[in-house]
Short mmCIF file of all heavy atoms in Angstrom, two decimals:
data_model
loop_
_atom_site.label_atom_id
_atom_site.label_comp_id
_atom_site.label_asym_id
_atom_site.label_seq_id
_atom_site.Cartn_x
_atom_site.Cartn_y
_atom_site.Cartn_z
N LEU A 22 59.33 59.01 229.65
CA LEU A 22 59.05 60.35 230.15
C LEU A 22 58.17 60.24 231.39
O LEU A 22 57.15 59.55 231.39
CB LEU A 22 58.36 61.17 229.08
CG LEU A 22 58.13 62.65 229.40
CD1 LEU A 22 59.46 63.40 229.45
CD2 LEU A 22 57.21 63.29 228.35
N VAL A 25 56.86 64.70 237.23
CA VAL A 25 57.23 64.86 238.63
C VAL A 25 56.09 65.57 239.34
O VAL A 25 55.72 66.69 238.97
CB VAL A 25 58.54 65.67 238.77
CG1 VAL A 25 58.86 65.93 240.25
CG2 VAL A 25 59.69 64.93 238.10
N PHE A 29 59.05 70.31 244.20
CA PHE A 29 60.44 70.42 243.76
C PHE A 29 61.01 71.82 243.98
O PHE A 29 62.08 72.15 243.48
CB PHE A 29 60.58 70.02 242.28
CG PHE A 29 59.70 70.79 241.33
CD1 PHE A 29 60.11 72.01 240.81
CD2 PHE A 29 58.47 70.29 240.94
CE1 PHE A 29 59.31 72.72 239.92
CE2 PHE A 29 57.65 70.99 240.05
CZ PHE A 29 58.08 72.21 239.54
N ALA A 47 75.36 58.71 233.45
CA ALA A 47 76.77 59.02 233.60
C ALA A 47 77.05 59.38 235.06
O ALA A 47 76.13 59.77 235.80
CB ALA A 47 77.16 60.18 232.70
N ASN A 55 64.73 71.36 227.88
CA ASN A 55 64.19 71.52 226.53
C ASN A 55 62.75 72.06 226.57
O ASN A 55 61.79 71.29 226.47
CB ASN A 55 64.25 70.18 225.80
CG ASN A 55 63.93 70.27 224.32
OD1 ASN A 55 63.68 69.25 223.68
ND2 ASN A 55 63.96 71.45 223.74
N PRO A 56 62.58 73.38 226.75
CA PRO A 56 61.22 73.96 226.75
C PRO A 56 60.58 73.89 225.37
O PRO A 56 61.25 74.09 224.35
CB PRO A 56 61.47 75.41 227.20
CG PRO A 56 62.89 75.70 226.82
CD PRO A 56 63.62 74.40 226.96
N HIS A 60 51.75 76.19 221.60
CA HIS A 60 50.79 75.18 221.16
C HIS A 60 51.35 73.76 221.26
O HIS A 60 50.72 72.82 220.81
CB HIS A 60 50.30 75.45 219.73
CG HIS A 60 49.68 76.80 219.55
ND1 HIS A 60 48.49 77.15 220.13
CD2 HIS A 60 50.13 77.91 218.89
CE1 HIS A 60 48.20 78.41 219.81
NE2 HIS A 60 49.18 78.88 219.07
N ASP A 62 53.60 70.95 224.01
CA ASP A 62 53.65 70.59 225.42
C ASP A 62 54.87 69.71 225.65
O ASP A 62 55.62 69.41 224.71
CB ASP A 62 52.37 69.90 225.89
CG ASP A 62 52.01 68.64 225.11
OD1 ASP A 62 52.92 67.95 224.62
OD2 ASP A 62 50.81 68.33 225.00
N ALA A 73 66.06 62.43 223.82
CA ALA A 73 65.91 61.31 224.74
C ALA A 73 66.79 60.13 224.32
O ALA A 73 67.42 59.47 225.15
CB ALA A 73 64.45 60.89 224.84
N GLY A 80 74.04 59.25 228.72
CA GLY A 80 73.85 59.23 230.16
C GLY A 80 73.49 60.55 230.81
O GLY A 80 73.64 60.72 232.02
N HIS A 106 66.21 87.76 238.20
CA HIS A 106 66.83 86.63 238.90
C HIS A 106 66.10 86.31 240.21
O HIS A 106 65.91 87.17 241.06
CB HIS A 106 68.29 86.97 239.19
CG HIS A 106 69.07 85.84 239.77
ND1 HIS A 106 69.56 84.80 239.02
CD2 HIS A 106 69.45 85.57 241.04
CE1 HIS A 106 70.20 83.95 239.78
NE2 HIS A 106 70.15 84.38 241.03
N GLY A 110 57.92 83.93 238.07
CA GLY A 110 57.63 83.62 236.68
C GLY A 110 57.96 82.19 236.31
O GLY A 110 58.42 81.39 237.14
N VAL A 116 64.06 76.69 236.78
CA VAL A 116 65.32 76.61 237.52
C VAL A 116 65.16 75.75 238.77
O VAL A 116 66.07 75.01 239.15
CB VAL A 116 65.85 78.02 237.86
CG1 VAL A 116 66.97 77.97 238.89
CG2 VAL A 116 66.33 78.71 236.59
N VAL A 165 63.96 85.49 219.76
CA VAL A 165 64.11 86.95 219.73
C VAL A 165 65.15 87.33 220.78
O VAL A 165 65.51 86.50 221.63
CB VAL A 165 62.77 87.67 220.03
CG1 VAL A 165 61.71 87.28 219.01
CG2 VAL A 165 62.29 87.40 221.44
N ILE A 187 61.34 96.42 217.04
CA ILE A 187 62.10 96.79 218.24
C ILE A 187 63.59 96.58 217.97
O ILE A 187 64.06 95.47 217.76
CB ILE A 187 61.67 95.98 219.47
CG1 ILE A 187 60.23 96.32 219.84
CG2 ILE A 187 62.60 96.23 220.65
CD1 ILE A 187 59.70 95.59 221.06
N ASN A 224 60.23 88.07 212.73
CA ASN A 224 60.99 88.66 211.64
C ASN A 224 62.50 88.48 211.81
O ASN A 224 63.03 88.52 212.93
CB ASN A 224 60.64 90.15 211.54
CG ASN A 224 61.21 90.80 210.31
OD1 ASN A 224 62.34 91.26 210.32
ND2 ASN A 224 60.42 90.85 209.25
N PHE A 228 66.98 88.23 214.58
CA PHE A 228 68.28 87.56 214.53
C PHE A 228 69.41 88.60 214.58
O PHE A 228 70.38 88.45 215.34
CB PHE A 228 68.38 86.74 213.25
CG PHE A 228 69.74 86.13 212.99
CD1 PHE A 228 70.16 85.01 213.67
CD2 PHE A 228 70.58 86.68 212.04
CE1 PHE A 228 71.40 84.43 213.41
CE2 PHE A 228 71.83 86.13 211.77
CZ PHE A 228 72.24 85.00 212.47
N ASN A 256 72.85 76.48 202.18
CA ASN A 256 72.22 77.81 202.29
C ASN A 256 72.17 78.35 203.71
O ASN A 256 71.59 79.42 203.93
CB ASN A 256 70.81 77.82 201.67
CG ASN A 256 70.84 77.63 200.16
OD1 ASN A 256 71.80 78.03 199.49
ND2 ASN A 256 69.81 76.99 199.62
#
Side-chain angles (χ1 to χ4, degrees):
L22 186 68
V25 176
F29 56 86
N55 190 195
H60 303 291
D62 57 30
H106 186 78
V116 167
V165 301
I187 294 181
N224 189 274
F228 173 77
N256 293 329

